[in-house]
Amino acid sequence: MGCNDRLLETDVCCLNPKYGHQGEDGLCVYCGSVPPTWSPWSPWSQCNTLCREGVRTRSRKCQGFSQRVNTLTRLQTVCPGETTTVCMTCSCLSVHGGWSGWSRWSDCSASCISDVIVPIRHSVRSCSRPAPSTDTLPPGNACDGPSRKEKCDSVCPVHGFWTGWSAWSECSSSCIPEGQVPFRAKQRSCSNPAPSSNPPGQPCIGKPTHQENISVCVTVNGHWGEWSAFSSCSVTCGAGLELSVRHCDNPAPKHNGHPCPGERQRTRVCFTNVHCPVDGVWSEWSQWGKCTYPRGKRVINCKDIVGQQDRDRRCDHLSFNGSICSGEMSNDRLCYDVHNCDVMGNWDGWEPWSLCNPTCGKSKRTRKRHCEPDFSNYSKSKRGQKVDTFFGEMLLDCADHKDGDSESQPCLNVPPCS
C-alpha cells in the first residue's frame, strides 16, 4: 500500500515502517528505516557515431530515504557515491552475418519400423562467419536463408490421428418437441495428421461425431449474488485492508451464457491505531582500532610480533517492541603493526580502463596499477591462527618508478556539453 492513496495521510501510512509513498519528484520514499539506494542503471545508449570510436552512456537515480521512527524528528540521508551518469568507449563498425559451411548429414532418426515417426536426417550451418553485430548503429544484417535441411531417403507410413473435439453445436430445439428429445453434437476430423497414402497409413479409430440428448438448452447469463460482509482488518498494527466478495451464482452462466460483469471483490482501508514494531538495524562497523600487543605495552611496530585490533557497531532504530539486531556487536582480529614502516614492493598489472570522464566535452579515461607490499619476512600464522592483516600506512617502495602508477588517454567522439 502506498501513501499516495487519497484515503491515507502520510503520517498514518508511516505507522507501517515497510510502506512507502511516491514523492513530488516521482521517486519512492520509504517510511521506515530503509537505507537510500541507487536505482538500477539504465540500458547503455547506442554508440553516438556511425564509424570509428565513440561513446555510449547510461545513468541512475538516488531513490528512497532513511528516517528514525519518531513523531518529532526525521533524518534524511542520500545514496553513497555521486556518479549518476557514466559513459564508455564503443566501436560502431556494422558487421553483416555470413554462413558457415554445411555440416555432414546426420544418421536417419528411425528405420521406418515405428508406427508414428517419420525418419529424418539433417545438415546444419550457423550464421557465424562472421556473426552479425548487435551493438552497432545500424546493427549488422542476419544471414539470408535456412540454417537446416531435412532429408531422408525413405519415409515411414503416417497413421491418422484425431483433431480435438469442436465446440458443441446449437441445440436442435429450445424446448422438448412432442415425441422427440433435443440433442447437440460435436465433431472431430482424422487430419492431425491424415493417414498417408503411399506407403498407406492406418485410419483413425472411433467416430468423427458425438451426440448427446439434453432436456433444455436455453442460454442463461450470469448474475451476481449479494456482497459478503467485510472481513476483519488484514493487519494488527498500522493501516490495512478489509475484504468483501460476491459470487456469480444468482444464477451462474449456463449454455454459453455471459459471465457476470464487474469485480468479484472490493476492499476498504482499515485503521488499527496501533504503531507497528520497528526492528533494529545494525549500523556500519566502526573503523578498526590500532594494532597493539594484547597484554602490556610491548612495542610491535615494524616487527614480526602479532597484535590485535577491535571494532564494534550499534543496533539503531529499535522501537515499539521491535526485534533486536541479531549477531555480534563487536569483533577482533590478529594483525601486524606496519604503520610508517619501510616495506619493499612490486608492481601489479594494469587495471582495466575507467569510464570516460566527464561525459561530454573534453573527456579522458584512466587506468592504474598498484605497488603491492612484500611481506615475505613476516610469519603467516601465529598460535595456530592465520595472520594476513598488516595495519597502518606503510612507506612502500617499488624499485621501478619510470612509468608511474597511472596513465590516461583521451576519449574520442565525445558529444559536446550543452
Side-chain angles (χ1 to χ4, degrees):
M1 177 185 295
C3 294
N4 55 354
D5 194 321
R6 294 184 179 178
L7 298 178
L8 288 179
E9 296 181 356
T10 301
D11 288 343
V12 176
C13 175
C14 285
L15 291 174
N16 302 65
K18 295 183 180 179
Y19 285 8
H21 65 276
Q22 189 174 28
E24 295 180 358
D25 58 356
L27 299 179
C28 184
V29 180
Y30 295 98
C31 296
S33 57
V34 179
T37 58
W38 286 109
S39 67
W41 283 105
S42 67
W44 284 108
S45 68
Q46 292 286 350
C47 203
N48 70 335
T49 182
L50 295 179
C51 61
R52 300 187 308 276
E53 184 178 352
V55 295
R56 299 187 295 171
T57 62
R58 62 178 184 178
S59 62
R60 60 179 180 177
K61 293 183 178 180
C62 182
Q63 62 183 11
F65 71 89
S66 172
Q67 69 176 24
R68 286 196 178 199
V69 179
N70 188 306
T71 58
L72 297 179
T73 304
R74 293 181 180 173
L75 302 176
Q76 181 170 349
T77 61
V78 297
C79 297
E82 298 180 355
T83 299
T84 58
T85 303
V86 296
C87 71
M88 65 181 292
T89 59
C90 57
S91 176
C92 295
L93 181 61
S94 178
V95 178
H96 302 306
W99 287 116
S100 66
W102 288 103
S103 67
R104 297 182 61 183
W105 287 106
S106 66
D107 295 332
C108 276
S109 60
S111 59
C112 292
I113 298 176
S114 170
D115 293 334
V116 295
I117 296 177
V118 176
I120 61 171
R121 61 176 182 169
H122 60 267
S123 176
V124 298
R125 59 180 177 175
S126 62
C127 189
S128 60
R129 291 190 179 179
S133 59
T134 59
D135 58 351
T136 59
L137 186 65
N141 296 333
C143 299
D144 186 23
S147 62
R148 176 185 294 264
K149 297 190 290 187
E150 290 186 7
K151 179 180 179 180
C152 210
D153 295 332
S154 60
V155 179
C156 295
V158 178
H159 305 307
F161 197 81
W162 292 113
T163 62
W165 287 106
S166 67
W168 286 106
S169 67
E170 296 292 331
C171 293
S172 62
S173 176
S174 60
C175 58
I176 303 176
E178 184 178 354
Q180 300 181 20
V181 177
F183 65 89
R184 61 180 181 176
K186 58 183 179 180
Q187 290 81 32
R188 59 181 177 176
S189 65
C190 188
S191 60
N192 188 33
S196 60
S197 58
N198 185 25
Q202 298 176 0
C204 299
I205 300 175
K207 297 181 179 180
T209 302
H210 177 68
Q211 179 176 307
E212 69 176 10
N213 297 332
I214 51 179
S215 57
V216 291
C217 274
V218 179
T219 297
V220 178
N221 294 326
H223 290 276
W224 290 112
E226 296 295 326
W227 285 104
S228 70
F230 277 96
S231 66
S232 58
C233 197
S234 61
V235 296
T236 58
C237 64
L241 292 175
E242 295 174 339
L243 176 67
S244 174
V245 298
R246 59 180 176 173
H247 300 283
C248 188
D249 58 0
N250 189 33
K254 296 179 181 179
H255 309 306
N256 296 321
H258 297 298
C260 298
E263 299 295 330
R264 180 179 177 272
Q265 64 182 32
R266 59 184 179 179
T267 58
R268 68 183 182 189
V269 178
C270 53
F271 306 92
T272 63
N273 295 323
V274 177
H275 202 295
C276 292
V278 178
D279 297 335
V281 178
W282 284 118
S283 68
E284 294 295 325
W285 284 102
S286 67
Q287 296 293 325
W288 286 103
K290 291 184 177 180
C291 183
T292 58
Y293 196 69
R295 297 178 301 278
K297 297 183 178 180
R298 188 175 181 183
V299 176
I300 64 174
N301 181 247
C302 302
K303 298 181 180 180
D304 184 14
I305 301 176
V306 171
Q308 180 177 304
Q309 56 185 167
D310 308 292
R311 66 176 181 176
D312 56 24
R313 58 181 176 175
R314 304 182 310 275
C315 185
D316 293 335
H317 310 305
L318 179 65
S319 59
F320 298 103
N321 295 322
S323 300
I324 193 170
C325 304
S326 61
E328 298 179 346
M329 297 188 67
S330 63
N331 60 18
D332 56 65
R333 66 182 181 185
L334 300 180
C335 56
Y336 288 112
D337 180 9
V338 294
H339 186 63
N340 289 333
C341 299
D342 292 320
V343 179
M344 293 301 296
N346 300 299
W347 290 112
D348 64 358
W350 288 104
E351 294 179 347
W353 286 107
S354 69
L355 299 172
C356 294
N357 185 42
T359 58
C360 63
K362 283 189 174 182
S363 180
K364 66 179 181 179
R365 60 180 184 175
T366 61
R367 65 177 181 177
K368 295 182 178 181
R369 62 176 180 172
H370 300 279
C371 182
E372 296 295 331
D374 181 5
F375 293 120
S376 59
N377 58 329
Y378 284 84
S379 301
K380 303 301 182 183
S381 63
K382 291 287 186 178
R383 299 190 296 275
Q385 298 186 54
K386 183 179 180 181
V387 185
D388 56 5
T389 300
F390 296 85
F391 187 76
E393 295 294 330
M394 297 163 285
L395 304 178
L396 275 175
D397 182 16
C398 278
D400 182 10
H401 293 277
K402 63 181 181 180
D403 293 329
D405 61 355
S406 66
E407 64 179 6
S408 63
Q409 62 178 213
C411 294
L412 303 179
N413 294 314
V414 178
C417 296
S418 57

